[in-house]
Amino acid sequence: MKRWLFLVFTLVFSAAIFAGCGSDKADNSTLKVGVTNFADSLEPTENYFGWVVMRYGMGEALAKFDEKMNVQPWLAESWKISDDHMTWTFKIRDGVKFSNGKDLTAEAVKASIERAFAKNKRAETFFKYKEIKAEGQNLIITTEKPEPNMPGFLADPLFLIVDTTAEGERDFAKQGPICTGPYVCESFTKEKAVMKKNPHYWDGEVPYEKVEIPSIDDPNTRAMALQSGEVDMAVNIGAGDIGLFNDSSKFHIDRIASLRVVLARINQKGVLGDPKVRAAFISMCDRKSYNEVILKGTFIEGKAPIPPSMDYGFDKLTDPNHYDVERAKKLLDEAGWKDTNGDGIRDKDGKPLSVDFVIYNSRAELPIYAEAVQADAKKVGIDVKIKSVDYNLIDKMGINGEYDLLISNITTANTGDPEIFLNWYWRTNKDGDNPQNGSGYSNPALDAKFAELSTEFDKAKRRQLMIDIQQIIMNDGAGLFFGYPETNIISSTKITGATMYPSDYYWVTNKIRPAK
């Protein structure tokens, strides 16, 4: 009996050890990444969900951006432009396969780009083409006008490459598209995505069997998850929590000045269509205090559309609507808004001076800015009603102009320079040709600058045009620019290779691997 009990004990003990070893092995084969997820599907042409497909290591494009936002080859190994600047030829890399094992051909790339144009009107705001054709492994795009930044345009996640022939077999929205990245979707919900290794990956070893990506919208909760070891890395830890990770033996912090701006689009179809009211609204906002006091210096004070992290004349630009409460009150008086009933809110023609400020909560700073604006507005007699909505509604509301103010945290150089960003929000929307500008704002002088910029290849001239464009936008009070954030990835020292790129596109890559 004793011998039997000893044998049972030995077997149980051995099983426990092997189970423990198995757990260690499983842990080492799974990367866990805490993120904020704004997508409720993985269809890359829907909304801005291509960003998530690329961030999660599934999707790749013809070109990509390095740490200095220089455009580099990716699925295209090279490109060239014709002498008349109307035709671009991209040499598609040989030996690349989709995650289902099919070869990446120029014909497949052509079909994918055409699909993006067919499914999302935003594609035409990058460029319009006369013809796309495939000749061997060459993809040849002839455009309607010269396009100085075509490789940068095609680096945008909207144009990541999918196998269009797989659509009949796979629901891209629910199961994820078939792409060329190191990982492929195993399962997806808005709350959690699980990626698995792409067995056909072309660009080196894929170190993890699985990548688990829980959506942890609250930045404090993300910090706690990283501290406790629930995740191996986390994207955009709140600035107030970064100090928790200063022990370099346990954590690596990769933080950079971002290319982002937190701005409020201003609808000019309503009460803010009056330039004096608009100027007053911007002038009454104490943006210095918002950033230095309330946000504890973790954001740079806002002024212009493009952040100072990029060389587009930030210090030379003049803000005509800088903080000046008395000016704000005077402008409102001149516009005919007075507090006639003593309730503290100005009114005109029997209507109170009230605006709707639309926000979303997945970025911690947005409600903070909105509440600070609400408090400052009350001091000058403006009623600000804050309306919080799901992020997925923001794009539609922006296009439809369903707001007075609409806040966003936006990358200003999604194609390598700020041309597209500036164009989307402020070029005149003529007959729906620029749907992102749902504000009603229009300035012919600005449109002329955009037209000149769209065909200008000289870098110095492009820079000056974008400086001029910003000054016009600021002079018109066409946007309220709150501040410029840092961005970060913080990772456990149990892994290496987690890098925050300024483009904010490349979170999960095959360069992230277990530390030796």
Side-chain angles (χ1 to χ4, degrees):
M1 185 67 178
K2 290 181 179 179
R3 292 176 65 185
W4 169 250
L5 289 173
F6 177 78
L7 179 61
V8 170
F9 175 78
T10 302
L11 289 170
V12 170
F13 183 72
S14 299
I17 290 177
F18 280 114
C21 292
S23 297
D24 289 343
K25 185 176 180 181
D27 289 344
N28 205 38
S29 66
T30 302
L31 175 69
K32 297 181 180 181
V33 185
V35 303
T36 297
N37 170 45
F38 63 86
D40 55 13
S41 97
L42 291 177
E43 169 50 63
T45 64
E46 184 181 347
N47 206 314
Y48 288 82
F49 299 163
W51 287 53
V52 172
V53 175
M54 191 172 282
R55 284 169 166 176
Y56 289 7
M58 288 178 276
E60 299 177 326
L62 295 187
K64 70 185 302 185
F65 298 109
D66 64 18
E67 292 91 337
K68 295 183 179 180
M69 287 303 292
N70 298 309
V71 67
Q72 301 289 345
W74 204 1
L75 295 179
E77 65 180 37
S78 62
W79 48 78
K80 61 183 179 180
I81 188 172
S82 62
D83 291 341
D84 66 359
H85 291 169
M86 298 292 283
T87 300
W88 286 86
T89 301
F90 292 84
K91 173 68 168 65
I92 306 305
R93 197 179 295 274
D94 289 320
V96 179
K97 292 182 182 293
F98 288 105
S99 58
N100 58 7
K102 293 183 180 179
D103 289 333
L104 177 74
T105 63
E107 192 63 48
V109 173
K110 173 180 180 290
S112 181
I113 293 173
E114 289 174 339
R115 180 181 187 272
F117 274 87
K119 286 184 169 288
N120 194 317
K121 292 181 179 178
R122 195 171 79 249
E124 288 193 356
T125 67
F126 290 87
F127 65 94
K128 294 181 181 180
Y129 63 85
K130 289 182 178 178
E131 182 184 35
I132 302 181
K133 61 183 180 180
E135 293 182 356
Q137 280 294 81
N138 289 326
L139 180 79
I140 302 166
I141 303 176
T142 301
T143 55
E144 291 190 358
K145 66 175 184 62
E147 296 291 352
N149 192 27
M150 182 64 83
F153 292 166
L154 293 175
D156 187 276
L158 179 58
F159 298 111
L160 62 83
I161 304 304
V162 303
D163 176 14
T164 61
T165 67
E167 277 195 278
E169 310 159 7
R170 188 178 179 93
D171 185 333
F172 283 9
K174 296 178 180 178
Q175 298 173 291
I178 296 298
C179 303
T180 60
Y183 296 99
V184 59
C185 181
E186 180 174 281
S187 64
F188 174 80
T189 64
K190 190 171 183 181
E191 293 71 35
K192 184 177 181 179
V194 178
M195 304 293 124
K196 62 182 179 181
K197 178 188 290 191
N198 173 5
H200 303 288
Y201 191 54
W202 62 279
D203 191 22
E205 178 193 0
V206 181
Y208 292 99
E209 295 297 325
K210 284 191 177 183
V211 180
E212 295 181 1
I213 311 173
S215 181
I216 311 172
D217 286 343
D218 178 64
N220 296 326
T221 307
R222 278 201 303 281
M224 290 172 61
L226 183 57
Q227 273 192 305
S228 67
E230 292 176 42
V231 296
D232 302 305
M233 58 181 272
V235 181
N236 286 324
I237 292 293
D241 290 328
I242 289 180
L244 299 172
F245 302 96
N246 285 336
D247 186 345
S248 59
S249 68
K250 295 181 179 179
F251 300 103
H252 174 71
I253 300 172
D254 193 25
R255 61 195 295 192
I256 59 173
S258 77
L259 308 181
R260 289 182 169 272
V261 60
V262 178
L263 67 85
R265 283 176 264 179
I266 299 176
N267 194 333
Q268 302 202 5
K269 299 170 187 174
V271 66
L272 293 172
D274 184 328
K276 288 188 176 181
V277 176
R278 199 163 60 246
F281 195 96
I282 298 171
S283 287
M284 64 86 185
C285 293
D286 187 1
R287 287 170 280 177
K288 184 178 179 69
S289 291
Y290 300 170
N291 292 286
E292 294 184 3
V293 179
I294 301 175
L295 289 166
K296 301 177 182 179
T298 56
F299 283 66
I300 297 169
E301 180 184 351
K303 178 178 77 172
I306 303 172
S309 58
M310 302 184 74
D311 183 22
Y312 288 96
F314 185 84
D315 292 336
K316 297 178 181 178
L317 292 166
T318 302
D319 185 2
N321 299 315
H322 59 83
Y323 182 52
D324 188 336
V325 175
E326 293 309 312
R327 174 177 182 262
K329 292 177 179 178
K330 182 181 178 185
L331 286 168
L332 292 172
D333 288 339
E334 292 174 1
W337 291 94
K338 307 285 179 65
D339 181 9
T340 62
N341 58 11
D343 67 352
I345 301 300
R346 293 172 183 259
D347 54 88
K348 183 178 179 181
D349 300 328
K351 294 182 179 180
L353 182 48
S354 179
V355 298
D356 291 337
F357 195 162
V358 178
I359 69 168
Y360 57 97
N361 283 318
S362 57
R363 288 186 177 270
E365 74 277 4
L366 304 188
I368 293 173
Y369 279 124
E371 288 164 9
V373 168
Q374 186 181 53
D376 276 349
K378 191 172 184 180
K379 296 173 186 176
V380 300
I382 302 175
D383 176 36
V384 172
K385 290 182 169 64
I386 299 172
K387 294 190 174 183
S388 182
V389 303
D390 187 90
Y391 178 85
N392 291 321
L393 297 175
I394 292 292
D395 191 48
K396 178 178 178 290
M397 294 179 78
I399 289 171
N400 294 338
E402 299 169 346
Y403 61 90
D404 289 312
L405 295 117
L406 178 64
I407 200 167
S408 296
N409 182 317
I410 298 172
T411 294
T412 61
N414 57 310
T415 60
D417 73 22
E419 177 186 359
I420 288 292
F421 157 70
L422 294 167
N423 185 85
W424 276 350
Y425 293 123
W426 294 288
R427 180 174 63 80
T428 299
N429 184 6
K430 297 177 182 176
D431 301 320
D433 71 340
N434 189 30
Q436 298 303 309
N437 179 7
S439 70
Y441 172 71
S442 176
N443 183 326
L446 187 66
D447 291 341
K449 294 283 186 183
F450 279 128
E452 191 177 347
L453 176 63
S454 71
T455 58
E456 180 57 68
F457 282 73
D458 183 272
K459 288 185 177 180
K461 291 179 180 178
R462 287 179 64 79
R463 176 181 179 274
Q464 187 58 53
L465 281 165
M466 282 186 264
I467 292 172
D468 295 345
I469 285 168
Q470 289 183 86
Q471 191 63 66
I472 293 171
I473 291 168
M474 293 165 68
N475 291 346
D476 287 350
L480 173 50
F481 306 102
F482 287 113
Y484 315 104
E486 282 190 334
T487 189
N488 64 71
I489 285 179
I490 302 182
S491 55
S492 164
T493 50
K494 293 178 181 178
I495 68 172
T496 63
T499 301
M500 175 54 79
Y501 287 83
S503 63
D504 209 10
Y505 295 155
Y506 320 118
W507 290 357
V508 176
T509 72
N510 69 326
K511 303 297 186 288
I512 300 172
R513 57 188 63 242
K516 294 180 179 179

